[in-house]
C-alpha cells in the first residue's frame, strides 16, 4: 500500500487495507476488532503496545511485528507534519 494520503486521514476501510497489505496473516484476527472499535488512521496512530493484545494479538512476536510497523507509520506522520510546517513557514 502506497501512502498516498496521511495516515491520520485514513478511514476504517483504509486501516483494514493496510493490515491486509502489511500483515495478511493477522487480518482475520484484527478485522472484527478494527470494525468493532472503528479504528481509523488517527486511532491507529494512537494505539499503545498493550492495545494489540486487547485487539486479539496474543503472541509477543505478532505484537512486535505490528508494533514496529505502527511506529514507522507514526514517524511518517511526523515527517508529513514537519513538511507542512516548513511549507507554511517558507510560503509566507
Amino acid at each position: 500500500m502506497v501512502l498516498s494520503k496521511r495516515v491520520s486521514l485514513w478511514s476504517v476501510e483504509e486501516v483494514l487495507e493496510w493490515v491486509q497489505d502489511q500483515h495478511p496473516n493477522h487480518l482475520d484476527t484484527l478485522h472484527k476488532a478494527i470494525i468493532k472499535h472503528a479504528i481509523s488512521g488517527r486511532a491507529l496512530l494512537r494505539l499503545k503496545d498493550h492495545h494489540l493484545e486487547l485487539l486479539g494479538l496474543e503472541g509477543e512476536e505478532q505484537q512486535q511485528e505490528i508494533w514496529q510497523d505502527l511506529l514507522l507509520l507514526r514517524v511518517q506522520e511526523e515527517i508529513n507534519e514537519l513538511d507542512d510546517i516548513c511549507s507554511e513557514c517558507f510560503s509566507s
Side-chain angles (χ1 to χ4, degrees):
M1 173 179 204
V2 176
L3 299 181
S4 58
K5 76 180 196 185
R6 293 174 67 151
V7 177
S8 59
L9 301 176
W10 285 0
S11 65
V12 172
E13 292 78 20
E14 288 166 314
V15 170
L16 287 169
E17 187 179 318
W18 176 79
V19 172
Q20 183 175 351
D21 288 348
Q22 298 298 315
H23 302 282
N25 296 339
H26 306 304
L27 183 60
D28 289 341
T29 303
L30 294 173
H31 186 271
K32 289 179 187 174
I34 290 170
I35 291 174
K36 178 181 178 182
H37 299 290
I39 298 176
S40 63
R42 183 175 299 277
L44 184 68
L45 292 172
R46 292 181 178 168
L47 288 178
K48 305 289 186 216
D49 55 351
H50 67 276
H51 290 129
L52 296 177
E53 186 173 359
L54 297 172
L55 293 175
L57 292 172
E58 297 175 1
E60 188 174 328
E61 187 176 318
Q62 295 173 332
Q63 293 173 15
Q64 287 300 317
E65 188 179 306
I66 292 180
W67 183 243
Q68 288 176 351
D69 284 342
L70 287 174
L71 292 175
L72 290 174
L73 288 177
R74 286 183 183 176
V75 168
Q76 185 61 50
E77 187 71 15
E78 291 291 328
I79 290 169
N80 289 337
E81 287 179 16
L82 289 172
D83 281 345
D84 289 349
I85 291 169
C86 289
S87 299
E88 291 172 14
C89 289
F90 294 115
S91 67
S92 303

